[in-house]
Amino acid sequence: MDALTLELLNGLSTFATLGVVALGLGIVFGLMGIINLAHGEFVMIGAYVSYVVHANGFSHWLSVPLAAVVLFVLGGAIELTLIRRIHRQPEVTILATFGLSVCLRQVAELVFTKDFRGVPNPVPGATRAFGVLFPTYRYVLIGIAVAVVVATLLAFTKSRFGLTVRAIVADRDLAEASGIRTGIANLCAFGIGAATAGIAGALVAPLGAIEPQAGLAYLPGAFLVVIVGGFNKLWGVVVGALIVAGVQTGVIHFYDAVWAQIASLGLAVAVLQFRRVSVEGASA
Amino acid sequence: MGQRRSRLTRSSGRTAVMLIALISMIAAACGTSDDDPAEAEPASATAAPAADDGPASTEPATEPEPDSAPATTEAADAAEPDEPAAPSGEPVRIGILFSNSGPAGIFGQPTANIAEFIEEDINAAGGINGRPVETYLADDATDPAIGRQAMEQLIESDGVDVVLGTHSSATREAAKPLAEDAGVLYIYAALYEGGECSAVMFNTGEVPSQQLAPVIPWMMDETGGSKWFLLGNDYVWPRRSFELARQYIEAAGGEVVGEEYVPLGTQDFSSVAQQIAGSGAELIFPALVGGDAIAFETQAVDFGIGQDAIGRLANIYEENVLGVMGPSVTAGMRVTLGYFKEVDNAANSEFVSRYYERFGADAPPHMTFSSHIYDAALLYAAAANAAGTTETAAVAAALEGLTLSTPTGDIAITGSRHLSQPIYVAEIQSDGSQLIVQSFPSVEPDETCTP
């Protein structure tokens, strides 16, 4: 029973991490149709923000909002200078953002060197709840991640800005013709996507190594979540993260981590086959 | 409108398929790079020796080994008096294939630094057969394909007489055929999984049998623990290490209560931590590299399975990784390797002082990879002097059975073309420094090779 509770909590923390990492990609890729291969590097930069905050003696908690601000500005600048010019050509965005990801890694290497960095856990130790001991920081991570995801979902579904973005997603030309300033909306959407990636980076920083390559590992997971959860609807990220986290935790529990990786890739392939049919069905 | 949307969606579906392919390619590329125990980094951060060494001297006196090299090898360059003649003529070219960028690039700088010492020390001892040596560095970017090109460049453009390698096994497999075709001697000096055997190759890095056979029983005696959990990244080196570890553990009356592998680049160890906690393990042998090691150890503490609860014996944790984990996580861990800069002998103290004197107190630490490259160069010089030529077959014949004394300790090339060498166990202190608590001289590799 305790083992099951722990495994559920593990699954929940995996879900929260995946969800907040994939959220930005859900906006940029799922909604806007921009394939951003530099999304992992946004997470990496977020983690470096928390390292800089720590190195300067400030609290780790400051790094979460700060990473959001830094990445919003950076994301906005990238949208203005790069994405805006090519976003209608998916093949070009793949190449451009791939190049961007290489650039960002190299810049990180120039600034911080290749050495591993780390930030100490701000709340070390474990908390007893539901009859089991579970790391305190993971409870905090789950809380913040869920709050960020919910807030973003609300912003995109309930606010006027969300309505604008959805109008652009539905039909860019018609939206423009109706007087919607698609440029600003795109800028904000991309910036918000980057900002949530920054938050993700700051949140996971105390759980592992910070290095220029650190973002690479997050990219496949984030794409998996978006693919499994489905395009066009941001809440798909939640569904996708839930399914991927469930599969991963379950397979690790019953088999091992290597099979878990294989299983989640298999899941993506299967879902894509299925989804393709359903999309064609819907368009008929 | 519906039509437009569906087209858009379908195309993003298709691109998603492309993406998966692309991502798995990237992941695979990164995977192979990590592939390598050679990942490990510099030894202990703390100590930047400093102080007592004199000016960075280039006289042979600082370096006992080049001197002793010609001496220990019986034959070769006929008796020089005390001062060897300055080498002259066409240089002997020593290629060094190493990882100076990419994930394992973190280990590159110490090796590049040591290349300077290799030139200086061998030349100060009279060169090779009276000729000076020059080193040529080539970076594999932690990528086997680039490693192959780098090997080609060393052989074809630079015209090297020998290649010394410290890089991943994946790069070795990609680059080896070029050395074989060109008949160029290739000394692979990084610690690795063992099993290599080729007419042009010697392997002087630690193999798992050396790091583990003497140390596992010692560890069980020392701690009183006998139930082991083996946790490694999923590739050949951890798997080979665990295969042997299991034998040594069982031979010493211990028991393996769990064996788990995680993919390279794993960030979440919560499920694994839970398995370890429930396994009843008294000791953990983690064969994790780089960021995976940091993620596991920092998370393990909060799951109640830190070093204070379950002792660690690591075979790759090195200074950079241990430094990021921090002493609160690492204090008490034991690490088994063929070299630490804390190795206690006069030649090593002098060498390490000279290293930091030359490259600065905050230079990337001299560690097992750079130390093994240095030793490989000395072995080559001694063998080529003994053979009186740089011709591959003759040098190879002279290498077999060659013995040397270096800052590492006493080393000898075995009949299996590996290296009999000392193995040291360091214990991490509460200030994060490494203290050598046990040393095993002249540990034989359990390898066979008849090329």
Side-chain angles (χ1 to χ4, degrees):
Chain A
M1 181 58 209
D2 283 358
L4 183 67
T5 312
L6 265 175
E7 210 59 273
L8 282 175
L9 286 169
N10 285 340
L12 197 59
S13 82
T14 306
F15 160 69
T17 314
L18 270 175
V20 73
V21 169
L23 181 64
L25 202 69
I27 298 168
V28 169
F29 176 44
L31 286 185
M32 299 166 70
I34 297 165
I35 294 161
N36 179 19
L37 293 183
H39 188 72
E41 276 58 45
F42 292 167
V43 177
M44 175 268 289
I45 295 169
Y48 271 112
V49 168
S50 82
Y51 168 71
V52 171
V53 165
H54 162 68
N56 285 290
F58 294 103
S59 154
H60 176 66
W61 306 118
L62 176 66
S63 67
V64 176
L66 190 63
V69 173
V70 169
L71 267 298
F72 182 83
V73 172
L74 181 72
I78 288 169
E79 204 278 336
L80 273 178
T81 52
L82 184 68
I83 305 297
R84 171 155 304 196
R85 295 158 206 284
I86 55 175
H87 69 93
R88 282 172 197 253
Q89 303 153 272
E91 301 83 358
V92 179
T93 55
I94 291 181
L95 285 176
T97 56
F98 178 72
L100 177 67
S101 74
V102 176
C103 272
L104 292 175
R105 285 201 293 279
Q106 295 300 319
V107 169
E109 197 175 309
L110 280 175
V111 177
F112 296 102
T113 77
K114 283 175 279 213
D115 290 357
F116 292 111
R117 311 283 175 178
V119 296
N121 186 339
V123 280
T127 300
R128 183 170 290 280
F130 314 111
V132 293
L133 274 172
F134 192 68
T136 314
Y137 187 76
R138 286 179 188 258
Y139 279 120
V140 178
L141 187 152
I142 292 169
I144 296 180
V146 168
V148 168
V149 172
V150 168
T152 310
L153 285 180
L154 285 178
F156 275 82
T157 49
K158 301 289 181 204
S159 75
R160 178 156 185 88
F161 164 71
L163 190 65
T164 308
V165 171
R166 281 180 290 135
I168 297 171
V169 170
D171 191 317
R172 179 180 303 275
D173 296 332
L174 194 58
E176 269 174 13
S178 326
I180 290 175
R181 296 160 76 182
T182 57
I184 290 182
N186 279 337
L187 181 72
C188 289
F190 196 85
I192 291 173
T196 58
I199 292 174
L203 281 179
V204 298
L207 294 177
I210 305 169
E211 45 130 355
Q213 315 274 337
L216 285 173
Y218 290 101
L219 192 66
F223 271 105
L224 270 182
V225 166
V226 177
I227 289 166
V228 171
F231 311 101
N232 288 336
K233 292 195 172 61
L234 200 50
W235 54 261
V237 169
V238 178
V239 178
L242 205 55
I243 294 173
V244 173
V247 167
Q248 279 183 358
T249 311
V251 176
I252 292 178
H253 182 75
F254 291 110
Y255 298 96
D256 64 28
V258 176
W259 278 106
Q261 199 178 37
I262 294 168
S264 41
L265 282 170
L267 179 70
V269 172
V271 166
L272 275 175
Q273 286 305 320
F274 171 74
R275 190 173 305 287
R276 223 153 152 193
V277 173
S278 77
V279 164
E280 276 156 18
S283 74
Chain B
M1 191 163 95
Q3 187 58 36
R4 167 187 300 275
R5 179 161 68 181
S6 71
R7 225 188 300 126
L8 214 161
T9 317
R10 240 181 296 140
S11 88
S12 50
R14 234 176 288 124
T15 37
V17 176
M18 290 164 55
L19 262 176
I20 293 184
L22 188 60
I23 291 165
S24 29
M25 273 157 50
I26 298 169
C30 303
T32 51
S33 61
D34 282 315
D35 203 274
D36 188 2
E39 239 47 69
E41 309 115 9
S44 60
T46 47
D52 56 337
D53 68 300
S57 54
T58 52
E59 341 139 31
T62 28
E63 237 26 299
E65 49 292 7
D67 259 339
S68 62
T72 36
T73 66
E74 48 268 53
D77 46 323
E80 292 130 15
D82 285 356
E83 270 311 297
S88 63
E90 179 70 6
V92 173
R93 295 157 198 251
I94 297 179
I96 297 177
L97 181 58
F98 73 133
S99 299
N100 201 30
S101 52
I106 190 167
F107 314 115
Q109 196 52 48
T111 299
N113 290 346
I114 284 302
E116 271 187 36
F117 285 2
I118 288 174
E119 273 189 18
E120 279 172 26
D121 294 345
I122 296 177
N123 287 336
I128 292 179
N129 300 320
R131 295 158 63 191
V133 302
E134 275 179 10
T135 53
Y136 290 79
L137 298 174
D139 176 14
D140 80 337
T142 327
D143 177 337
I146 298 174
R148 192 181 161 87
Q149 291 165 13
M151 178 63 105
E152 193 165 13
Q153 192 205 325
L154 286 174
I155 293 173
E156 302 295 333
S157 316
D158 300 332
V160 299
D161 298 287
V162 60
V163 174
L164 314 178
T166 180
H167 46 67
S168 74
S169 288
T171 289
R172 186 189 68 243
E173 290 309 312
K176 182 174 65 173
L178 298 175
E180 284 171 338
D181 291 349
V184 170
L185 194 67
Y186 182 12
I187 305 179
Y188 181 59
L191 74 106
Y192 86 117
E193 63 279 359
E196 185 61 66
C197 185
S198 155
V200 298
M201 285 203 75
F202 284 82
N203 305 280
T204 61
E206 306 94 325
V207 291
S209 59
Q210 291 174 300
Q211 286 178 280
L212 302 178
V215 178
I216 281 180
W218 173 85
M219 184 77 182
M220 290 166 63
D221 271 357
E222 191 76 359
T223 61
S226 63
K227 294 179 177 160
W228 291 75
F229 198 101
L230 314 179
L231 171 65
N233 282 124
D234 189 33
Y235 68 98
V236 60
W237 175 72
R239 283 188 178 271
R240 177 69 185 150
S241 297
F242 288 172
E243 193 183 312
L244 290 171
R246 189 178 277 274
Q247 293 171 21
Y248 304 138
I249 288 167
E250 283 163 7
E255 183 192 350
V256 176
V257 295
E259 180 174 349
E260 274 294 317
Y261 297 94
V262 297
L264 284 160
T266 295
Q267 284 139 335
D268 187 358
F269 284 88
S270 50
S271 296
V272 170
Q274 201 183 316
Q275 282 178 31
I276 294 174
S279 70
E282 296 159 337
L283 293 165
I284 300 177
F285 173 17
L288 298 168
V289 296
D292 293 38
I294 295 170
F296 169 67
E297 293 296 353
T298 49
Q299 294 173 28
V301 174
D302 288 339
F303 279 102
I305 55 161
Q307 158 70 31
D308 49 353
I310 307 180
R312 307 296 204 268
L313 174 67
N315 56 349
I316 194 73
Y317 286 6
E318 48 53 55
E319 205 161 333
N320 192 271
V321 159
L322 291 166
V324 173
M325 294 174 194
S328 63
V329 173
T330 59
M333 288 183 182
R334 274 91 164 191
V335 184
T336 165
L337 283 172
Y339 178 82
F340 293 92
K341 70 181 190 306
E342 290 77 8
V343 165
D344 186 20
N345 67 56
N348 185 55
S349 312
E350 204 155 1
F351 189 89
V352 172
S353 300
R354 177 180 163 215
Y355 179 88
Y356 287 100
E357 181 84 11
R358 174 79 59 89
F359 302 109
D362 57 352
H366 178 49
M367 30 75 89
T368 188
F369 294 119
S370 45
S371 172
H372 276 84
I373 278 288
Y374 183 79
D375 287 357
L378 295 188
L379 286 164
Y380 175 76
N385 276 325
T389 170
T390 54
E391 198 267 315
T392 297
V395 177
L399 270 172
E400 287 193 26
L402 183 64
T403 61
L404 272 188
S405 177
T406 75
T408 307
D410 293 327
I411 57 176
I413 298 278
T414 63
S416 59
R417 295 184 157 223
H418 283 70
L419 192 71
S420 158
Q421 59 188 312
I423 291 294
Y424 301 96
V425 182
E427 185 178 308
I428 313 305
Q429 305 297 293
S430 53
D431 63 352
S433 65
Q434 301 177 137
L435 178 71
I436 293 183
V437 290
Q438 182 69 26
S439 51
F440 301 92
S442 303
V443 179
E444 296 289 324
D446 183 12
E447 295 287 327
T448 52
C449 174
T450 35

